[in-house]
Amino acid sequence: MCATLLGGMLAVGVNYFADCAGHKAEPIILAAAVFVQSGATTFARFYPGIKTKYDYGLLVFILTFSFMTISGYRVHNLFVQASQRLASIIVGCVLCILISLFVCPIWAGEDLHKLTIHNMEGLAQSCEGCVAEFFRGGDSDKDKVSKGYKCVLNSTSLEESLANFARWEPAHGSFGFRYPWLQYLKMGAAMRGCAYYVEALNGCLNSETMAPSSVKSHMAAPCMQIAAECSKVLIQLADSIKTMTKNPNSDLMIEKMNKAMEELQKCLISHPELFNVSKRWQINDDDGGNNTDSEAKNLLQFSIHKQVKNAEKTQKKSAIENSKKTAINFMDGLAVATVACLLKEIVARLSTVIKAVDELGKRANFKSAENKQITVLLIPPLSPAAAKEGSPPPSLKKVLRRCTSV
C-alpha cells in the first residue's frame, strides 16, 4: 500500500513537470525518470538489509511508477487513472485481509513456530541416529537420518522471511501483541551450530578409515549415552515450545550432558594407548665405527661384548615392533576419537540452544510448568509384637486416617 501511494504520487509529479517542459521535452523527461528511478531502486534491492524487509515493496514501487508515468504520456486525465488504480488496490487488500483473517487464516508466525519445533525434533533424530549407526551399523535409511539436520541447515531464508512477515501480523491465538519473533531466528542460528557438527558426524559414517569392532565396542556406551542425552534435551525443548511452557529443568539438562561427557573422558583416560603415540625408538644400526678393539684383547672379553651387543639389538627390535603396534592402535582409534570430539562440540552448542529457548520463555511469558507435589510417608519400624500380630501401630493408623481424609 505504501509503495503504491509513493509510486503514484511520484509519477503524478513527474508527469506534471514533464507537461510544463513542453511537448518535445516531455518524452525525454519521462524516459529519463523511469530509467533513473528503476535503476536506483533495483540497485537498492541488492542490499541485504533492504532485500530482507522491503524487497516486495520496492518491486511494487517500480511497477507503479513505471505504469503511471508511461500511461500519463497518453492519458491526459492522470488523476482519474491514479484514483482508479488506488481504489482497486484498496479493494484487493481489504479482501485479502478479510479472507486471511476469517475465511482461511494463514499465519506466518504459526508456521515459524511449527517449523522451529519440527527442526528440533529432526535434529534430535539425526544426532542419535548417526551415533547409533556408527557404532551398531545396520542397514538403516541414511537419507532419513540426514533429513533432520539438512532441514535445519536449509531453512535459514525461510525462517527470516517468516519472521519478517510475523512481525506485521496482529495478535492471534497464543501469540500476543509484540511477540518476540526475532528470538526464533536466534534459536535457528543456535540449532544450525549443532547441525554443522551433526553433518560432520554423519560424514564419519562414510569415512574410509573405519575403527575395528573392538574399539567401537569399548567406546559405544558413553558415546551413545551422550547422543541419547542430547536427543532428550532437544525433544524436551521442542515440547516446551509446543506447549508454550517454561522449562524448569534447564540446569538439570546441562548437568546430565556434562556427566555423560565426564564418563566419556574417563573411558578415554582408561585406555590411553588408543589415542597416544609413544615415542619412537631411533636406532642406528652401525656395526662398525666402534670396533676399535685391539687384537690383544682376551677372547673371553670379546665374547661378552658380542653377547651384550646382540641383547641390545633384540631389545631395540622389540621396541620397534611395539611402536608399530601403538601406531596401528592410534589409527584404529582415530575415527572414534573424531566422533568423541564432535559429540563434545554438540554438547557445548546445545547449551546455547537451551539458553535461547529459556530467553524465549521469558520474553513470551510462557506458562510455568505445573509442579506435582508428592507426599512422602515416613513409616516407623514395627515392633516385634506388632509384627507378630500383623496389625499396624497406632501412630501409623493416625497417619493413614489423615491421608484418607485429605
Side-chain angles (χ1 to χ4, degrees):
M1 183 69 73
C2 295
T4 303
L5 289 174
L6 290 175
M9 289 189 295
L10 186 60
V12 171
V14 169
N15 274 275
Y16 178 77
F17 177 74
D19 236 357
C20 297
H23 184 67
K24 293 183 179 180
E26 183 179 1
I28 299 173
I29 294 174
L30 294 178
V34 171
F35 177 77
V36 171
Q37 185 269 346
S38 301
T41 310
T42 304
F43 182 77
R45 290 176 62 195
F46 287 103
Y47 285 96
I50 297 176
K51 185 177 180 62
T52 54
K53 295 182 180 180
Y54 309 109
D55 185 61
Y56 182 72
L58 292 176
L59 182 62
V60 173
F61 178 68
I62 294 172
L63 293 175
T64 304
F65 178 81
S66 302
F67 176 74
M68 298 295 295
T69 304
I70 296 172
S71 299
Y73 181 68
R74 298 288 184 183
V75 178
H76 296 287
N77 196 353
L78 187 61
F79 288 100
V80 176
Q81 186 180 4
S83 62
Q84 290 177 354
R85 178 172 175 78
L86 181 61
S88 62
I89 290 173
I90 291 173
V91 171
C93 290
V94 171
L95 288 176
C96 289
I97 292 172
L98 292 177
I99 292 172
S100 299
L101 289 176
F102 303 107
V103 180
C104 184
I106 300 174
W107 302 106
E110 189 175 353
D111 292 340
L112 178 61
H113 187 77
K114 292 179 180 178
L115 177 64
T116 305
I117 296 170
H118 178 265
N119 286 343
M120 277 192 180
E121 293 174 349
L123 187 61
Q125 185 179 2
S126 296
C127 181
E128 191 172 10
C130 288
V131 178
E133 188 171 349
F134 179 81
F135 287 101
R136 293 179 182 174
D139 299 330
S140 60
D141 191 2
K142 294 184 178 180
D143 294 334
K144 188 177 180 180
V145 172
S146 62
K147 185 179 179 181
Y149 73 82
K150 284 183 179 179
C151 290
V152 178
L153 296 176
N154 297 331
S155 61
T156 308
S157 58
L158 180 59
E159 287 177 357
E160 290 179 354
S161 61
L162 289 176
N164 289 327
F165 289 140
R167 292 171 63 189
W168 296 95
E169 291 178 349
H172 59 279
S174 302
F175 310 106
F177 183 66
R178 300 187 67 179
Y179 191 81
W181 296 112
L182 295 180
Q183 189 64 26
Y184 283 84
L185 298 181
K186 295 181 180 180
M187 287 192 298
M191 283 192 293
R192 276 187 290 277
C194 294
Y196 288 129
Y197 287 97
V198 176
E199 184 180 20
L201 197 62
N202 187 46
C204 295
L205 301 177
N206 303 321
S207 177
E208 296 181 359
T209 307
M210 297 299 293
S213 58
S214 59
V215 180
K216 284 185 177 180
S217 62
H218 173 67
M219 300 295 299
C223 289
M224 292 184 68
Q225 183 182 0
I226 293 174
E229 290 295 335
C230 294
S231 179
K232 288 179 183 177
V233 168
L234 288 170
I235 291 174
Q236 288 181 9
L237 293 177
D239 291 338
S240 175
I241 298 174
K242 186 186 298 183
T243 58
M244 301 187 75
T245 55
K246 292 181 180 179
N247 185 19
N249 301 323
S250 301
D251 297 334
L252 184 61
M253 291 177 181
I254 298 174
E255 185 179 354
K256 285 184 178 180
M257 290 191 298
N258 291 334
K259 283 184 179 179
M261 280 303 305
E262 289 177 1
E263 293 295 329
L264 178 59
Q265 290 177 1
K266 289 179 182 178
C267 187
L268 294 176
I269 293 172
S270 62
H271 290 269
E273 69 276 1
L274 294 175
F275 308 103
N276 293 323
V277 182
S278 61
K279 294 182 179 179
R280 309 298 172 85
W281 287 81
Q282 296 180 355
I283 301 171
N284 296 323
D285 294 331
D286 295 335
D287 293 332
N290 292 328
N291 296 328
T292 58
D293 299 332
S294 61
E295 295 180 358
K297 283 187 177 181
N298 195 352
L299 181 62
L300 182 60
Q301 292 178 355
F302 181 77
S303 62
I304 293 173
H305 178 73
K306 194 76 173 177
Q307 289 176 2
V308 171
K309 198 170 184 179
N310 290 334
E312 289 179 356
K313 283 185 178 181
T314 55
Q315 186 178 2
K316 290 178 181 180
K317 286 181 180 179
S318 63
I320 291 173
E321 292 178 357
N322 291 332
S323 64
K324 287 182 179 179
K325 290 180 180 179
T326 305
I328 293 171
N329 290 334
F330 174 76
M331 294 306 297
D332 290 342
L334 187 61
V336 182
T338 304
V339 174
C341 293
L342 291 174
L343 287 174
K344 183 178 180 182
E345 292 296 330
I346 291 172
V347 170
R349 297 299 186 278
L350 271 181
S351 60
T352 309
V353 179
I354 293 173
K355 292 178 182 178
V357 175
D358 290 343
E359 185 67 21
L360 175 66
K362 291 178 182 178
R363 293 187 178 182
N365 296 323
F366 280 2
K367 296 178 293 184
S368 299
E370 295 180 357
N371 297 322
K372 296 181 179 180
Q373 297 181 355
I374 300 174
T375 304
V376 180
L377 298 178
L378 299 177
I379 301 175
L382 295 176
S383 61
K388 290 180 180 179
E389 294 177 359
S391 60
S395 59
L396 182 58
K397 290 181 179 179
K398 293 180 181 179
V399 173
L400 293 175
R401 286 172 185 172
R402 291 176 186 175
C403 292
T404 52
S405 61
V406 174

